[in-house]
Amino acid sequence: MERSSLRFDEAKGPKLLPRFVVYIALAAGLMVADYRFSLMQPVRAAVMPMLYPAQWLANQPVQLYQYFADLSQSKSELLEQNRQLLEENGRLKIDLQRDKVNTNELRELKKLYGLQQKGIHNVIGAEVISNGKDPLSERLIIGKGSQDGLKVGDAVIDQSGLIGLLTQVHTQSAEIGLISGGQSIVPIAVSRTGERNLAYGNGNGLDLRYFPTGSDLKPGDVLLTSGLDGTYPAGIPVATVSKVVRASGTPYYDTQLTPLAALRSSRFVLVLSSALLPHADFMNDFDDSYRAVPLHIMAASLIVMMILDFMPFSFDGFFWLPEMTALMLLYWTLHQPQRAGMGLAFAIGLIVDAATAATLGLHALSYVVMTYFILNRRRQIMLYGHIMQLAAVLAALLLNQAVLTVARLFLNHQVITLQGFVAPFVGALLWPILSQLMLIVTRIYRAH
């Protein structure tokens, strides 16, 4: 029985478009009711006292900055000496922690190149009882079946790497479809860089057909399952890159892969049975951002970003500052689509409108449009890794700014100058820093 090629973990529920239309209509109605008829003034009056603590907190850094700026002229030499001492102290700390860092890196590499020990104890061992008479067969038969807890779609490995998945399961036997089969597609990630792509079976091995030349790939790189298909647990070794050549006339590398598993020569295999093994047990560091994140971490990150946006910086001097709230919304929409979607974007937008004295519904509208844009393209964005993410984030931030510009022009004939479109580019540059910071935060939380 053939399986569909790819399955991604997407948010369940109704289609995006009907919800998108509902949120757009709500935001537009709120803007008209607030700006044209002032019907939302009672709502503002009720909400503003609750937002005052955040506004007060956002104003304190600015006041502190002004205070210390006045003192800086008379204490410049002292501050410079302090800066040098801090730098020297930092260098000494780095030297002292070098051994600890190296130990942590070794521990991380062990996770990337192998399954966790507890996972190996929980899998089901099976013997290959037939590989068929055809030497080019894309199937293996093992002597375990449904009575042993196996199910169609369970991943299969040997001591070296990924072999395939179960395509048919009988009472006492099961059939494995090899990753080298012509219909096989395995979402992978380069262990050295985290760059994601797809490995295709060619009937005799694996191909990396569409790896862009702008990405970092070298001979000897190890490819691991990325876990994006919801079938293969993340972190299983798949293949090594034997050859990387920049092919002329195409934007993709010409590559040659060597599967790590024995495939047709395997005699004993391990089945990662979904009946016995929770999928999350096999998540490695590449999929830290896709596992469920506690709601209080999401809420805290959004509150911090809103406070940053509430700081009373003048547009003339700080036109380049991006909307940090929008940037954080994009992060959670990409990495936690089940929890962060258009509903959250709409609610956060209303809070931002109320706190910044904007027309109620203005940011709700722009955030919903931005979120819808990302949700519709999330599969491609996450599949092709960091470069695609950077381009998508820039496009989403530009779209957010464009919606704000058009809405303000429609409501009160205000036009944002071209300076207003500098902020999205700065936001895109901050995206890798934000992503790494949030990944560190989630890792620290899970470590404790």
Side-chain angles (χ1 to χ4, degrees):
M1 180 177 64
E2 298 292 338
R3 295 173 57 84
S4 58
S5 58
L6 281 177
R7 295 185 294 110
F8 292 84
D9 294 330
E10 296 292 344
K12 305 295 183 183
K15 299 294 183 180
L16 289 177
L17 185 58
R19 288 186 290 154
F20 175 68
V21 173
V22 170
Y23 285 124
I24 290 297
L26 284 175
L30 284 174
M31 285 192 296
V32 173
D34 186 34
Y35 186 77
R36 298 294 185 185
F37 304 105
S38 300
L39 297 179
M40 305 306 296
Q41 293 304 318
V43 177
R44 285 183 180 276
V47 171
M48 289 307 296
M50 293 184 289
L51 293 177
Y52 175 75
Q55 292 172 322
W56 179 87
L57 185 62
N59 193 43
Q60 299 314 300
V62 178
Q63 293 184 355
L64 287 174
Y65 169 78
Q66 293 173 347
Y67 173 75
F68 286 110
D70 293 337
L71 294 177
S72 63
Q73 293 181 354
S74 60
K75 296 184 178 181
S76 58
E77 292 184 1
L78 181 60
L79 291 175
E80 177 63 22
Q81 291 176 1
N82 186 51
R83 183 188 65 81
Q84 293 175 357
L85 289 173
L86 288 174
E87 289 180 356
E88 182 65 21
N89 186 42
R91 284 193 292 268
L92 291 174
K93 285 183 177 180
I94 290 174
D95 291 337
L96 291 173
Q97 295 295 327
R98 184 169 297 168
D99 290 340
K100 183 177 180 180
V101 171
N102 289 336
T103 301
N104 291 336
E105 289 177 349
L106 288 174
R107 188 181 298 113
E108 183 174 355
L109 286 174
K110 288 180 180 178
K111 291 181 181 179
L112 295 177
Y113 281 91
L115 297 175
Q116 299 177 5
Q117 189 65 28
K118 63 179 180 179
I120 295 177
H121 287 314
N122 289 333
V123 298
I124 298 176
E127 183 178 2
V128 177
I129 59 177
S130 175
N131 57 7
K133 297 181 180 180
D134 185 358
L136 299 180
S137 173
E138 299 177 354
R139 299 283 187 269
L140 297 177
I141 299 175
I142 58 176
K144 293 287 181 70
S146 57
Q147 67 179 12
D148 301 293
L150 304 188
K151 295 181 180 180
V152 172
D154 288 344
V156 184
I157 64 174
D158 66 5
Q159 69 274 15
S160 300
L162 182 67
I163 293 179
L165 55 79
L166 299 183
T167 56
Q168 292 189 29
V169 176
H170 309 289
T171 304
Q172 297 179 333
S173 65
E175 185 177 288
I176 304 173
L178 301 179
I179 59 173
S180 59
Q183 302 298 318
S184 173
I185 302 177
V186 182
I188 55 89
V190 181
S191 65
R192 181 173 55 86
T193 64
E195 188 80 15
R196 295 179 176 86
N197 209 283
L198 294 174
Y200 295 84
N202 58 18
N204 192 41
L206 291 169
D207 290 332
L208 200 59
R209 300 176 186 173
Y210 306 112
F211 204 98
T213 54
S215 300
D216 186 9
L217 187 66
K218 297 179 180 179
D221 278 343
V222 176
L223 306 181
L224 310 174
T225 52
S226 67
L228 289 183
D229 62 343
T231 299
Y232 300 110
I236 302 176
V238 178
T240 57
V241 180
S242 304
K243 181 184 74 171
V244 180
V245 178
R246 291 181 178 269
S248 58
T250 175
Y252 306 111
Y253 284 118
D254 179 14
T255 61
Q256 182 176 333
L257 305 182
T258 301
L260 291 171
L263 298 182
R264 298 183 186 90
S265 302
S266 298
R267 182 179 176 186
F268 296 96
V269 299
L270 300 174
V271 181
L272 312 184
S273 174
S274 57
L276 298 178
L277 178 67
H279 183 266
D281 284 347
F282 283 88
M283 290 293 185
N284 68 355
D285 289 338
F286 284 133
D287 271 338
D288 271 351
S289 57
Y290 302 106
R291 297 164 62 182
V293 175
L295 288 176
H296 65 267
I297 290 183
M298 295 179 61
S301 64
L302 288 167
I303 290 172
V304 169
M305 293 306 174
M306 282 192 287
I307 290 176
L308 291 177
D309 283 340
F310 294 167
M311 289 182 179
F313 295 118
S314 65
F315 177 80
D316 293 336
F318 297 91
F319 62 88
W320 50 270
L321 285 178
E323 286 196 51
M324 300 304 296
T325 306
L327 205 59
M328 185 56 70
L329 267 176
L330 290 177
Y331 178 85
W332 291 125
T333 301
L334 279 172
H335 295 287
Q336 296 289 325
Q338 294 85 356
R339 292 179 172 178
M342 289 184 289
L344 179 63
F346 184 82
I348 295 297
L350 291 179
I351 295 174
V352 172
D353 288 331
T356 58
T359 302
L360 207 62
L362 181 63
H363 285 86
L365 174 66
S366 65
Y367 288 173
V368 166
V369 173
M370 177 185 69
T371 304
Y372 177 75
F373 171 82
I374 290 296
L375 287 174
N376 259 344
R377 292 157 180 81
R378 180 179 175 273
R379 296 181 179 183
Q380 295 87 347
I381 294 170
M382 300 310 297
L383 182 62
Y384 289 108
H386 305 300
I387 296 178
M388 186 66 177
Q389 285 186 29
L390 198 63
V393 166
L394 175 58
L397 292 176
L398 286 171
L399 181 61
N400 175 66
Q401 190 64 51
V403 172
L404 290 174
T405 301
V406 173
R408 285 171 176 144
L409 179 63
F410 174 78
L411 289 173
N412 49 22
H413 307 291
Q414 290 182 348
V415 179
I416 298 179
T417 62
L418 292 179
Q419 287 181 328
F421 286 88
V422 174
F425 289 91
V426 178
L429 293 177
L430 292 177
W431 175 257
I433 300 175
L434 176 67
S435 298
Q436 288 301 314
L437 179 62
M438 295 308 302
L439 187 58
I440 291 172
V441 170
T442 53
R443 287 177 179 175
I444 291 175
Y445 176 83
R446 287 171 182 143
H448 295 284

